[in-house]
Amino acid sequence: MPSFAKDAVPDWVRAAAAQPLPAYSAETTAAVLLEDTTYTVAPDGTATEHLREVVKILRPQGREEGLVSVPFSKDRKLVSLHVWSIGPDGHEYTVKDNEMIEAGYPGQGNLYEDERIRAANPPGCDPGGIVAYEYEQKMLPYVAEKTWFFEGSLPRLRQVFTLQLPAGYSYTTVWAHHAPVEASDLENRSWRWEMKQTPGIHLQHVLYRPSVLSLAGRMTVHYGTSASTQKDGWEGIGEWYDGLSRDRLASTPELAAKANELIQGKTDFYERTEAIAEFVQQQVRYFAIEMGIGGYQPHFAEEIYRNRYGDCKDKATLLSAMLSAVNIHAALLMVDDRRGVIDPKAPSTVGNHMITAIEIPKEYNSARLRSIVTAKTGRRYLIFDPTWEKTPFGQLEHELQGSYGVLMEGPDSQVIKLPLLAPRFNRVHREGKLQLAADGSLKGTITETRFGDLSDRRRVLYTHGDAKQQADFMDHVLGEDFGAFKVSDLKVANAEALNKDLVTSFAIEVERYASAMGPLLTVRPRVLGQEAPPVDHTDRKVPIDLRETMQAEDDYEIELPQGYAVDELPEPVKDDLGFASYESSTQLKGNVLHYSRTLTIREVTLPAEKYADLQKLSGLISNDEQSLAVLKKQ
């Protein structure tokens, strides 16, 4: 139990706790009263970070904000950590060293790395309680930059960032998602930036929410000596990383032999590249061993190949090395799977993923190459992620589309915008031929084809799931549109062939699909598949992230029961909102009811003011999905 210690809480904690708070909204669970960071660079380029933070718990849901955890490693040595708290009743506590815990970093289920956390759970973390901590830490010496994240999910009353540089050093700053703020010169080669009353970014209950980091303001400080040869901006970051990775990308006779074996008999650029890319994608397991600089630096390509495992930068490195062995150039590409985090106007190493940019020959063109960008040099690159196991070669997963990446090409390094793929490359098409009986029951066959990211979940299910998991999934999907039903003759094709349509077909019998009212039967022409985007009616304040471009099509034929004729059909629907379009029609051809529709999503990021259009689209689709045809007995 942490010790009761009336005199142990420092004056700076008491001063922060005594500040009056603004009137926060009900969704604000806690507030940061003080965050004071001092970043000191030594003459040898190493750095020390000293941080003080004070948090006040405002609501029961904010108790978790009182948990203190500080990551560290052998290259980020935690010199000291002190934790205090003040309960709502005014009792003051200090947490002793032996009352803290050390553990592996959360989320390390498939990682082996030296990153750990030192954590404390002080008492008094109830509404009205205060938690404070202070630490000093030796920082990573590999990168001459420091990013100050001064906005986040919690509001902050006062934040201070102080930079201290030795003689002969200078600095520059870049700002992302916030206007630049001038520093105060404290003399003695110290500069201070200060923020007050920074609002929190509340996204917990927001539909189609972007990541907090894609909206949060941050400042990155780049520092160095006048003798430093590293260039500024993205080019400097690329050259820095080139120094870490160049020798790791080298091919070897063993790699060359395997690469040539994979492309044997293939002369087309796409087919040669696909063979090697799919080998790395499918045969090299994702697993990370990151010790010290290994968090930034890939392992040697030959080592990755022999072990058949590696993390994202390892897999990208191996792919590049194997391609180079058959005279295909490729470069590493740093990205972030949280769209909008990498800001093209704010060069930094902020990013959480590494993929591959494969140079396309000048005169080569193929409809199968879809995720293409053209760099400032005029070179064309195919962007491919060998870590994402269910992405067809030639495409890019939707999490990265429309965002930015850092092309690591030495002196030609630059930030590039990643492609946004056409909707037809991420599609679902459902087709049904069914018969309606006079008692309202429906039976027939349904075939569904999927391609792209819309097939990911089902490909995993049908390649790795057992029979019960597959049956449960089918029951869940069909249960959204039918009451009592029976499925038989389920067939799945191309589950492992990523560049082919995933085809699922089955026979179905549905009880009471149509409703009888005297001589009338009402039947829903849209048999299966719900595409209306969920919306709410809140005041939208943040951009809209629709996740992916896509196209959904439905075509259903329902043979009418003998003795019935159509009395009323739903009106056709058609609207184009720019970012999306929707159209549907219900027609009678002979004795068969034909329903068809197409939903197309063309954009993934919309401004907040477009939410009204998204609400309109949702209502349009929802009404159409529930519309009924009326049949009358003759």
Side-chain angles (χ1 to χ4, degrees), residues 436 439-440 512-518 520-524 628-629 631:
L436 182 68
D439 64 0
R512 296 183 297 278
Y513 182 75
S515 299
M517 294 181 291
L520 303 180
L521 275 179
T522 58
V523 58
R524 188 183 70 218
L628 300 173
L631 311 181

Side-chain angles (χ1 to χ4, degrees), residues 265-299:
K266 297 177 171 63
T267 58
D268 178 73
F269 170 79
Y270 174 89
E271 293 177 354
R272 289 160 60 89
T273 311
E274 179 190 37
I276 295 173
E278 287 192 346
F279 168 79
V280 176
Q281 181 187 39
Q282 304 295 332
Q283 302 302 319
V284 179
R285 185 166 58 99
Y286 180 84
F287 189 86
I289 298 180
E290 299 180 356
M291 306 294 288
I293 197 172
Y296 289 93
Q297 187 178 53
H299 293 85

Side-chain angles (χ1 to χ4, degrees), residues 362-411:
K362 287 184 178 180
E363 304 302 324
Y364 185 85
N365 291 287
S366 172
R368 294 179 292 181
L369 299 181
R370 293 151 186 166
S371 54
I372 297 175
V373 299
T374 301
K376 294 177 182 177
T377 57
R379 295 177 180 176
R380 292 182 305 147
Y381 294 88
L382 173 70
I383 309 304
F384 181 67
D385 183 359
T387 300
W388 209 258
E389 295 182 355
K390 297 303 178 184
T391 299
F393 182 72
Q395 301 206 168
L396 185 67
E397 65 264 32
H398 66 79
E399 289 88 348
L400 300 180
Q401 292 180 35
S403 190
Y404 288 88
V406 187
L407 181 65
M408 305 297 190
E409 281 279 40

Side-chain angles (χ1 to χ4, degrees), residues 52 55 98 101 121 145 167 181 202 231 422 443 477 515 555 592 623:
R52 291 175 171 177
V55 176
N98 61 7
I101 65 168
N121 186 13
E145 74 172 38
V181 173
H202 300 290
K231 298 178 181 177
K443 68 177 181 178
V477 170
S515 299
D555 289 288
V592 177
N623 290 337

Side-chain angles (χ1 to χ4, degrees), residues 97-109:
D97 286 347
N98 61 7
E99 294 164 338
M100 300 182 193
I101 65 168
E102 289 187 10
Y105 204 76
Q108 281 185 207

Side-chain angles (χ1 to χ4, degrees), residues 443-558:
K443 68 177 181 178
T445 60
I446 293 175
T447 300
E448 179 186 84
T449 62
R450 289 176 177 261
F451 186 80
D453 287 348
L454 287 176
S455 69
D456 279 5
R457 182 179 179 187
R458 286 163 173 80
R459 290 187 191 274
V460 172
L461 176 69
Y462 292 123
T463 53
H464 300 291
D466 57 31
K468 183 179 185 307
Q469 291 172 321
Q470 295 173 12
D472 289 347
F473 178 77
M474 182 67 74
D475 287 344
H476 171 74
V477 170
L478 298 179
E480 293 182 343
D481 283 307
F482 307 130
F485 60 89
K486 180 181 178 182
V487 173
S488 61
D489 198 25
L490 174 64
K491 298 176 182 177
V492 179
N494 303 326
E496 294 184 345
L498 302 183
N499 260 315
K500 293 183 179 180
D501 286 337
L502 171 67
V503 182
T504 307
S505 62
F506 55 90
I508 188 166
E509 298 178 22
V510 184
E511 298 178 14
R512 296 183 297 278
Y513 182 75
S515 299
M517 294 181 291
L520 303 180
L521 275 179
T522 58
V523 58
R524 188 183 70 218
R526 191 272 311 168
V527 177
L528 177 65
Q530 298 185 24
E531 299 294 345
V535 293
D536 54 26
H537 298 285
T538 58
D539 182 21
R540 187 79 185 194
K541 297 179 181 179
V542 298
I544 303 160
D545 190 336
L546 296 178
R547 296 185 66 243
E548 57 191 335
T549 59
M550 57 85 72
Q551 189 169 76
E553 295 180 304
D554 286 297
D555 289 288
Y556 295 113
E557 296 180 358
I558 303 175

